[in-house]
Amino acid sequence: MLKAILQIQQKVDSPRKTTIIDGNDKTVYQVFDDLFEEMLQADTINQQMPSIKKVGELLRDEKSRNSHLIKLFFGYQNYISNPQAKNNSKFQVDLIEALNMEVNEIYGKLPVILYIYQAEAYNADKRYKEAETLVDNAREIYPNAIPLKVYQAMAKKDESLKQEVIKANPNHWMVQLRLKESKP
């Protein structure tokens, strides 16, 4: 357990030392919003992903503010993409919580994509009630976020809610994958 905590602390502290922290610079926050729109909110994933170009620019520019958040985000992405990560959902939760604490400390709020990732991490760790509560709270902030609607419908196991989400977003990739495939 201590080893995992030290690993997470190192993942946060190391990139933090090489970036300028500035809560007034919303560039990285906007990148998170753009990634959400391109990857999760659109009916199909935008293969062009203009936000990835912006990520590259931020990481190459030594004067970029808060770029360590991008490094932490993609570090998390790499971890969950690793097949071995499926065996350590607790570490996955710890990573996303550390990222979210860092983002919240700088900006005072979280972008929707990080709520979604945290809910997914809780579900992976079988913390279903926490995931459901998180999604319910995030829907209050981001009521139009389709992935949050999908996760809420799945968690509540409410057929009318599920059908409402399907009807409102029939072509969305996550609706197709998570709700339409699991018809009763």
Side-chain angles (χ1 to χ4, degrees):
M1 179 69 164
L2 181 59
K3 182 179 177 185
I5 292 170
L6 292 174
Q7 283 178 313
I8 291 167
Q9 192 64 44
Q10 181 181 8
K11 285 186 182 303
V12 173
D13 287 346
S14 180
R16 192 175 220 265
K17 291 177 184 175
T18 62
T19 192
I20 301 165
I21 308 294
D22 181 356
N24 293 317
D25 186 318
K26 306 293 187 215
T27 306
V28 169
Y29 196 96
Q30 184 60 52
V31 167
F32 286 138
D33 284 345
D34 293 345
L35 286 167
F36 165 73
E37 290 295 332
E38 294 168 6
M39 294 184 336
L40 301 177
Q41 187 71 353
D43 282 348
T44 57
I45 296 174
N46 182 343
Q47 299 300 319
Q48 303 298 314
M49 296 205 50
S51 58
I52 295 298
K53 180 180 177 190
K54 182 68 176 173
V55 166
E57 292 168 4
L58 285 169
L59 294 177
R60 283 189 297 276
D61 182 355
E62 293 177 10
K63 295 179 183 173
S64 291
R65 308 238 185 296
N66 309 317
S67 61
H68 70 299
L69 299 174
I70 295 291
K71 293 174 186 171
L72 293 171
F73 178 79
F74 282 101
Y76 176 79
Q77 288 276 53
N78 288 337
Y79 181 78
I80 63 172
S81 298
N82 180 341
Q84 295 172 347
K86 306 294 185 232
N87 298 326
N88 196 346
S89 57
K90 173 69 175 123
F91 189 69
Q92 178 181 345
V93 168
D94 291 344
L95 278 175
I96 194 65
E97 286 180 343
L99 171 59
N100 288 357
M101 284 187 345
E102 187 72 10
V103 170
N104 199 40
E105 182 180 312
I106 293 169
Y107 294 117
K109 61 183 181 175
L110 291 179
V112 65
I113 195 169
L114 296 183
Y115 281 108
I116 293 165
Y117 281 16
Q118 186 169 3
E120 290 173 350
Y122 284 165
N123 281 326
D125 199 39
K126 297 179 178 32
R127 293 164 59 177
Y128 304 117
K129 193 63 183 160
E130 286 175 80
E132 182 179 354
T133 300
L134 178 77
V135 167
D136 289 345
N137 292 336
R139 284 278 331 269
E140 302 243 342
I141 303 165
Y142 300 104
N144 298 319
I146 297 168
L148 291 175
K149 292 178 186 181
V150 169
Y151 286 139
Q152 191 174 50
M154 290 171 61
K156 301 227 180 280
K157 296 178 177 61
D158 178 335
E159 188 60 30
S160 64
L161 178 59
K162 176 181 167 182
Q163 291 308 315
E164 181 181 315
V165 174
I166 290 171
K167 184 178 179 183
N169 310 282
N171 299 320
H172 189 272
W173 67 270
M174 190 179 262
V175 171
Q176 296 280 330
L177 182 68
R178 302 281 171 98
L179 294 183
K180 283 191 172 180
E181 280 187 2
S182 63
K183 287 191 175 185

